[in-house]
Amino acid sequence: MLKIKDTNFKVRILGISGSPRKKGNSEFLLQEALKSAQEVCPNVVQVESYSIAGKKFLPCVSCFQCQKTGLCVLGNKDDFFELMEKWLRADAVIVSVPIYHMGIPGQLKCFLDRLGNSVDAKLPSPPKRLKVYGIITQGAHLFSGQELTLIDFISHALIM
């Protein structure tokens, strides 16, 4: 177990279960990863879990309204802002994602598309964009698209 003397120092880890199904493999693997992260240094590491199951994420319409005004034209019609706020507060993000036909499930992809545009928007204070990422992928077999999904997330992390 790691010991850190400064008790005010906290590392916030956001775990995102990218499966639209509740209580599946993605959720199980994510909870195991978050539990392990918490055990490394319980007095410093704070974990929070978020599941996209049962949530609604509308696709980006590429209107660039967020670039002009700092606000997404879709407003509060879905759960985007709830997850975006959690993402902005996190120091690290662990994503556990199933592979749906060679890639990321659509709901999570919609979130990533809007996040990429919204975080670049004219916000009053620049958001903390640099994150440490951990990615867990699961597929039906060895060649389901896990590598492509990992590349997508690595590219997302680099762009952000």
Side-chain angles (χ1 to χ4, degrees):
M1 183 181 310
L2 185 63
K3 302 258 183 188
I4 295 179
K5 294 177 184 175
D6 182 2
T7 57
N8 293 325
F9 178 75
K10 300 291 180 196
V11 175
R12 292 177 198 87
I13 300 176
L14 172 63
I16 301 173
S17 174
S19 175
R21 293 177 40 211
K22 294 182 181 187
K23 305 216 184 277
N25 293 333
S26 296
E27 181 68 27
F28 173 78
L29 293 171
L30 176 63
Q31 293 309 317
E32 289 297 309
L34 291 175
K35 183 172 71 172
S36 296
Q38 180 79 58
E39 289 172 355
V40 170
C41 196
N43 60 329
V44 173
V45 175
Q46 295 176 332
V47 298
E48 180 177 8
S49 184
Y50 186 91
S51 175
I52 68 164
K55 306 287 183 167
K56 181 178 177 183
F57 294 96
L58 296 171
C60 179
V61 295
S62 195
C63 67
F64 300 106
Q65 190 68 24
C66 59
Q67 299 294 314
K68 297 172 189 165
T69 66
L71 300 171
C72 179
V73 71
L74 299 174
N76 290 322
K77 296 177 183 175
D78 65 1
D79 297 298
F80 171 74
F81 288 109
E82 175 187 31
L83 183 51
M84 184 180 93
E85 289 300 319
K86 293 175 185 303
W87 187 91
L88 288 171
R89 284 193 306 269
D91 298 305
V93 178
I94 299 174
V95 180
S96 182
V97 59
I99 307 305
Y100 279 26
H101 192 70
M102 302 294 292
I104 302 168
Q107 297 88 330
L108 185 58
K109 180 67 170 110
C110 286
F111 170 74
L112 293 176
D113 287 346
R114 285 177 61 199
L115 179 69
N117 287 330
S118 296
V119 169
D120 282 337
K122 297 175 181 174
L123 299 172
S125 61
K128 181 172 46 173
R129 295 165 37 129
L130 183 60
K131 310 280 182 209
V132 173
Y133 263 89
I135 312 300
I136 303 167
T137 63
Q138 316 89 54
H141 52 76
L142 186 58
F143 303 106
S144 295
Q146 293 91 326
E147 296 85 4
L148 295 173
T149 300
L150 288 170
I151 290 168
D152 284 344
F153 273 104
I154 291 168
S155 298
H156 162 73
L158 291 171
I159 290 169
M160 296 305 286

